[in-house]
Amino acid sequence: MSDDLPPGVAEGWAALGGDPALTERVTAAGTGGLRSRLPALPLARATVALCSLAAAELAARRGGGPVPTVRVDDAAVTAAFLGDRLVRLDGAPPTTFAPLSRFWPAADGWVRTHANYPHHRRRLRQALGLPDGAGAASVAGTVAERPATEVEEAVYAAGGLAVAVRSAREWAAHPQGAAAAAEPLLHGGALGAAGAPPAAEAPRALPCAGLRVLDLTRVLAGPVATRTLALLGADVLRVDSPGLPEAQDLHDDTGLGKRSALLDLGRRADRAVFEELLSSADVVVTGYRPGALDRFGLLPGDLAARRPGLVVGRLSAWGRSGPWSGRRGFDSLVQAASGIALREGDGGVPGALPAQALDHGTGYLLAAGLLRALTLRHSSGTGRVVDVSLARTAAWLLHGPGTAAGPSAAAEDFDAEPWTTEVDTPRGRLRHALPAVAFDGSPSDWAAPSGRWGADAPGWRL
């Protein structure tokens, strides 16, 4: 492709409140491998470009000098968006979707389920009236007898994850689709009173050096955002509940540069540890459904009251308004509900994007929003909140950012080797995709590989 400004960057940078003149710093080149009917590669390229530009702007603010030039390479972007599939430990491929996570023919259409975790599988079977251990044949037979929306509501009521596959027109008419489309690409705004005035500091080699990030996110989108802050020098501590399992394969890809600890915020002792961590944090990022963490005092206003000047990022599946705003969701479910799956399918049989593009793209958008918030905080000391959702990113994909995908190979034909690296770890030899975020002076890799999920002590490095 040419080195013209990638489609979507000007629109996205305006949504971030950035100086439009800075988009002249962005160049793009290379050939990617995300062939699809919808502009998956332009979306990927734009989100990485926005994140890179926001990082370059913060680098200039904290390091002095002009804003560095941003370089977006489609091959590097492709490898990063396929990173959860390219990751290897001692050559072993990752587990992606479990047998009960798939499309199912219903009596009047299709249903998409997500059952990668044991508790989701248990709830799916319960909702369908099936015994523990029931396999794909039993699920298929039961779903085939029921309308798709009936399955959707029954599984949701049981705490599971399923959506009826809809066309883009049907989603636009659905109250949640309309609510998500009406939201801005990123929500942002000042949060609480200003913290201490920014102190004079020596120029920083990396834009996030010296910053502390509490990462309360799971699976892909949120961890991609915080992994980016770790690349840029932040001390990122991921905190999970010991009662919610996480796939080590996913953490091998998204845990680069971070540490990972377990805390049960329902226990007084663990809550005290968390509050101590919060007292010196610069950023808190949450990736649970809206309302899930409110009882722990993790609403942005509550956090800012305890830590003035804090930057808070929030990720949701369906958006922060509309009847589904409190529902759980994943990339695959949003693709199915929003019309993406039917656009990517054939003959009425739904398909999928060549990567978890909503997850990865939303992760880079969230990182871009956090980086811009940190740039603004550097001047004023005022904290900010940034909100993104998979459903809003889906709307952007369906209606922009441009349709000129440029040369692109199918994902399975893409040669990722030049865009991956291998490193020895105590657990074995880890292969992972190299960073796609790039600007003059940016790191070529993370400072540390991913460790074992949940194995670190809950404290800051320094």
Side-chain angles (χ1 to χ4, degrees):
M1 62 168 290
S2 71
D3 60 0
D4 294 334
L5 184 67
V9 171
E11 176 189 351
W13 193 242
L16 287 162
D19 178 359
L22 291 182
T23 60
E24 298 176 2
R25 298 282 185 178
V26 180
T27 61
T31 301
L34 295 178
R35 184 184 295 161
S36 59
R37 291 185 173 88
L38 289 165
L41 182 58
L43 174 86
R45 183 192 306 132
T47 58
V48 170
L50 290 168
C51 186
S52 300
L53 184 55
E57 181 188 37
L58 183 59
R61 183 64 57 91
R62 299 191 78 209
V67 174
T69 298
V70 167
R71 306 180 308 279
V72 182
D73 189 292
D74 278 1
V77 170
T78 297
F81 271 61
L82 294 172
D84 53 296
R85 306 178 189 187
L86 296 174
V87 71
R88 300 285 187 275
L89 187 67
D90 289 336
T95 300
T96 52
F97 288 102
L100 299 188
S101 295
R102 48 170 279 194
F103 294 105
W104 309 89
D108 60 350
W110 293 84
V111 170
R112 172 74 195 204
T113 56
H114 191 287
N116 283 5
Y117 294 102
H119 57 295
H120 293 154
R121 290 193 288 274
R122 184 176 64 254
R123 293 167 185 170
L124 173 63
R125 291 179 179 120
Q126 289 174 350
L128 299 177
L130 297 173
D132 288 345
S138 297
V139 173
T142 303
V143 173
E145 297 173 350
R146 302 171 68 173
T149 55
E150 181 182 302
V151 174
E152 174 183 88
E153 290 304 318
V155 175
Y156 166 69
L161 292 153
V163 298
V165 174
R166 293 172 170 85
S167 68
R169 179 175 295 180
E170 289 170 331
W171 183 240
H174 190 280
Q176 190 56 48
E183 292 183 351
L185 188 60
L186 298 96
H187 294 261
L191 180 62
E201 61 180 14
R204 299 283 187 169
L206 292 176
C208 293
L211 300 179
R212 291 172 167 176
V213 179
L214 276 172
D215 174 5
L216 281 72
T217 68
R218 290 174 50 76
V219 192
L220 269 179
V224 164
T226 52
R227 179 186 68 184
T228 302
L229 301 185
L231 171 74
L232 300 172
D235 182 359
V236 179
L237 178 66
R238 174 166 166 171
V239 176
D240 285 272
S241 166
L244 284 176
E246 181 62 290
Q248 181 63 46
D249 290 342
L250 281 175
H251 188 65
D252 284 341
D253 175 48
T254 62
L256 297 162
K258 309 178 190 177
R259 288 174 306 115
S260 169
L262 301 179
L263 288 175
D264 181 352
L265 298 185
R267 295 181 65 248
R268 181 176 299 178
D270 284 9
R271 181 65 179 274
V273 172
F274 178 84
E275 293 298 324
E276 179 62 25
L277 292 166
L278 175 64
S279 70
S280 60
D282 298 283
V283 180
V284 173
V285 188
T286 64
Y288 293 76
R289 60 185 175 85
L293 301 178
D294 294 359
R295 67 188 185 279
F296 300 121
L298 297 184
L299 283 166
D302 295 337
L303 289 167
R306 307 200 299 280
R307 176 62 172 160
L310 188 71
V311 170
V312 177
R314 298 190 295 178
L315 164 76
S316 64
W318 304 106
R320 306 207 76 83
S321 61
W324 286 14
S325 59
R327 292 193 179 191
R328 301 172 180 87
F330 290 90
D331 180 309
S332 59
L333 299 181
V334 177
Q335 286 192 42
S338 65
I340 292 172
L342 285 180
R343 289 281 293 274
E344 292 295 326
D346 282 305
V349 178
L353 294 169
Q356 299 289 94
L358 302 183
D359 264 332
H360 288 276
T362 305
Y364 287 112
L365 284 174
L366 178 55
L370 294 170
L371 291 164
R372 285 241 67 234
L374 288 166
T375 294
L376 296 171
R377 189 189 78 152
H378 186 75
S379 300
S380 67
T382 302
R384 300 187 72 81
V385 61
V386 179
D387 284 316
V388 296
S389 74
L390 301 181
R392 184 58 184 86
T393 303
W396 201 34
L397 175 64
L398 285 160
H399 306 293
T403 57
S408 182
E412 59 269 21
D413 298 326
F414 173 69
D415 180 14
E417 190 64 29
W419 310 101
T420 63
T421 189
E422 293 189 359
V423 59
D424 288 321
T425 77
R427 298 184 298 113
R429 190 159 181 82
L430 179 67
R431 176 204 191 197
H432 66 82
L434 289 165
V437 171
F439 54 90
D440 287 346
S442 65
S444 60
D445 199 357
W446 284 267
S450 304
R452 190 173 298 281
W453 174 79
D456 294 304
W460 300 115
R461 282 196 174 96
L462 299 176

